[in-house]
């Protein structure tokens, strides 16, 4: 029975990675998605089009960031979005 659960987990993770795959395509100019180092060792994906962080599950965040870096996504220690308000 645990093998079935493991397979479901693998297929769910593969589905999530497929859904997030635009994040590691070659960056547009200006780039839509940026790896933002928000502080305290926390890195996240930021969507500059919608001006919000992207909701990426912690279980796949490391792999998403790795693929984004491999594709040449920019990284920033400063807030990469527009001013709110």
């Amino acid at each position: 029975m645990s093998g079935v659960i493991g397979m479901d987990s693998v297929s769910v993770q593969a589905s999530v990675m497929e859904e997030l795959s635009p994040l590691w395509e070659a960056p547009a100019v200006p780039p839509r998605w940026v790896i933002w180092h928000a502080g305290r060792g926390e890195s996240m994906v930021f969507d500059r089009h919608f001006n919000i962080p992207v909701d990426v599950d912690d279980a796949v965040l490391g792999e998403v960031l790795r693929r984004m870096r491999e594709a040449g996504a920019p990284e920033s220690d400063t807030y990469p979005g527009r001013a709110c308000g």
Side-chain angles (χ1 to χ4, degrees), residues 1-10:
M1 177 115 53
S2 65
V4 173
I5 293 171
M7 289 303 293
D8 287 343
S9 176
V10 169

Side-chain angles (χ1 to χ4, degrees), residues 21-80:
S21 67
L23 298 176
W24 53 82
E25 292 176 354
V29 178
R32 176 174 177 174
W33 294 288
V34 175
I35 298 172
W36 178 29
H37 305 289
R40 298 181 315 271
E42 182 181 17
S43 295
M44 64 183 71
V45 179
F46 192 88
D47 184 335
R48 295 178 68 208
H49 177 77
F50 288 112
N51 206 39
I52 58 172
V54 176
D55 184 21
V56 178
D57 190 297
D58 288 342
V60 297
L61 180 61
E63 179 63 13
V64 168
L65 295 176
R66 184 193 70 75
R67 291 181 185 199
M68 288 179 70
R69 286 183 177 112
E70 191 174 274
E75 301 191 39
S76 178
D77 290 332
T78 59
Y79 178 70

